[in-house]
Amino acid sequence: MSKKPHIKIPLPKWTWKQVTITIVVIILACRIDATPALELLKAVLKSWLAP
């Protein structure tokens, strides 16, 4: 029986502040008009993930 290779997805090493802000923005996006909140989330994620 051979092992199948798994896909490794690199996850960013976030601080607890970044995780908390992301969760809050996602919750707000679900409760209010999603378009502005999702645009804000995209901008924040791009700034954190940029090298």
Side-chain angles (χ1 to χ4, degrees):
M1 191 184 273
S2 64
K3 291 186 177 183
K4 294 181 181 178
H6 294 283
I7 298 173
K8 292 188 178 184
I9 301 172
L11 296 175
K13 296 190 182 333
W14 285 4
T15 63
W16 65 271
K17 289 180 187 178
Q18 291 171 320
V19 173
T20 305
I21 291 171
T22 305
I23 291 171
V24 168
V25 170
I26 291 171
I27 291 172
L28 288 175
C30 293
R31 292 183 175 231
I32 60 173
D33 182 26
T35 306
L38 288 176
E39 292 300 322
L40 175 64
L41 179 62
K42 286 180 189 176
V44 169
L45 288 176
K46 283 181 184 177
S47 69
W48 284 340
L49 296 177

